[in-house]
């Protein structure tokens, strides 16, 4: 029994460490869950650039419309590009897992909860950390995800970065500009990460709002509980 308990704890610790991801230096993601305009832009970047390979099976278009103040018509015009996809459907993709595994060597993961698993700072650094590496299949590598198995889908927007090695650390320099300036690209990736963080916990703002009232209620209850305790114990003391 003891061996089973120790084995279970070991496996749980390993799984937790894996989910947390490797310890790498990351940049602070300038995200704001209250910024609806940023979330709307991030949603558009996601469907235009990420959903070719990555699904978000645990999110529905209708929920996005409700939370981000988008009408059904706006969803159909900006986020849904197939006429037979209802707004109440999940954010699935057409690519079959077997085809993805054959083309990429691995099935691209669902991104609904990626911000909960990796963290917003890691995602922000990852999206800005691609650099040219001709030894890799897709011609790119990544500072926080070495040997990444995906192409840099935002390459035309960011441009080409080259690595500069300083005392074992990698600094990146832009050698071929993209469509966006570096500042504009940082804003775009921040919007995308903001949306991914929202998808990971769409009820976060509501939870925080209710949490304030719960704390206030408990503090008020504490007063009455303390007075009740004094009444019960007054003869003892």
């Amino acid at each position: 029994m003891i061996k089973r308990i120790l084995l279970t704890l070991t496996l749980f610790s390993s799984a937790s460490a894996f989910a947390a991801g490797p310890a790498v230096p990351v940049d602070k993601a300038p995200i704001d869950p209250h910024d609806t305009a940023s979330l709307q832009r991030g949603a558009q970047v996601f469907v235009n650039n990420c959903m070719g390979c990555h699904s978000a099976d645990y999110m529905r278009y209708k929920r996005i419309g409700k939370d981000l103040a988008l009408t059904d018509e706006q969803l159909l015009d900006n986020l849904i590009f197939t006429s037979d996809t209802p707004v109440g459907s999940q954010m699935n993709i057409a690519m079959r897992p077997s085809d993805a595994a054959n083309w990429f060597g691995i099935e691209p993961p669902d991104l609904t909860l990626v911000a909960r698993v990796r963290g917003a700072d890691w995602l922000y650094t990852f999206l800005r950390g691609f650099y040219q590496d001709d030894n890799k299949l897709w011609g790119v590598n990544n500072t926080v995800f070495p040997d990444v198995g995906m192409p840099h889908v935002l390459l035309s927007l960011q441009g080409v970065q080259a690595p500069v090695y300083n005392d074992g650390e990698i600094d990146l320099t832009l050698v071929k500009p993209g469509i966006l300036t570096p500042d504009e690209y940082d804003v775009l990736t921040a919007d995308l990460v903001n949306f991914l963080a929202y998808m990971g916990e769409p009820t976060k703002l509501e939870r925080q709002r209710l949490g304030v009232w719960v704390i206030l209620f408990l503090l008020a209850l504490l007063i009455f509980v303390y007075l009740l305790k004094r009444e019960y114990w007054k003869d003892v003391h």
Side-chain angles (χ1 to χ4, degrees):
M1 180 62 69
I2 295 177
K3 289 182 178 180
R4 290 181 180 179
I5 294 174
L6 291 175
L7 178 60
T8 301
L9 291 175
T10 301
L11 292 175
F12 177 77
S13 300
S14 300
S16 300
F18 175 79
V24 294
V26 294
D27 300 324
K28 181 65 177 177
I31 64 174
D32 180 4
H34 298 88
D35 190 344
T36 303
S38 170
L39 292 170
Q40 291 174 349
R41 295 192 299 268
Q44 194 165 30
V45 174
F46 178 77
V47 299
N48 284 329
N49 298 279
C50 304
M51 282 193 67
C53 300
H54 297 279
S55 61
D57 290 337
Y58 304 102
M59 176 58 68
R60 296 182 184 274
Y61 292 102
K62 189 73 173 180
R63 176 60 189 266
I64 293 177
K66 175 179 177 294
D67 292 342
L68 306 189
L70 297 172
T71 65
D72 289 355
E73 290 73 19
Q74 289 174 320
L75 289 173
L76 291 170
D77 292 340
N78 298 282
L79 301 183
I80 304 175
F81 305 116
T82 54
S83 58
D84 59 343
T85 301
V87 294
S89 64
Q90 296 167 287
M91 300 181 72
N92 301 319
I93 59 175
M95 184 170 57
R96 294 178 297 184
S98 58
D99 290 335
N102 183 41
W103 297 332
F104 300 106
I106 188 174
E107 180 184 349
D110 183 276
L111 296 184
T112 314
L113 300 175
V114 67
R116 298 291 298 274
V117 176
R118 292 289 190 177
D121 295 344
W122 189 96
L123 290 173
Y124 182 64
T125 308
F126 170 76
L127 291 170
R128 297 160 56 250
F130 282 94
Y131 62 90
Q132 187 174 11
D133 188 343
D134 296 332
N135 296 321
K136 302 303 177 184
L137 176 63
W138 301 104
V140 293
N141 211 329
N142 194 276
T143 56
V144 297
F145 198 155
D147 303 323
V148 61
M150 61 172 282
H152 183 17
V153 296
L154 302 177
L155 178 65
S156 62
L157 300 177
Q158 183 185 28
V160 179
Q161 297 189 120
V164 178
Y165 298 94
N166 293 319
D167 297 329
E169 296 184 357
I170 301 178
D171 295 328
L172 302 180
T173 179
L174 188 66
V175 295
K176 182 179 179 181
I179 297 174
L180 303 179
T181 66
D183 289 341
E184 290 172 338
Y185 183 77
D186 287 348
V187 172
L188 179 137
T189 53
D191 290 339
L192 176 55
V193 173
N194 202 19
F195 176 72
L196 292 173
Y198 152 76
M199 279 206 305
E201 191 178 2
T203 60
K204 180 178 181 178
L205 295 181
E206 180 67 10
R207 173 177 58 78
Q208 292 176 341
R209 185 186 68 82
L210 291 176
V212 173
W213 289 104
V214 170
I215 295 299
L216 292 176
F217 169 78
L218 292 176
L219 290 175
L221 179 63
L222 178 62
I223 298 174
F224 292 100
V225 170
Y226 175 72
L227 294 175
L228 182 63
K229 178 261 184 187
R230 289 188 59 184
E231 182 67 23
Y232 271 109
W233 287 82
K234 64 182 181 179
D235 297 330
V236 176
H237 296 294

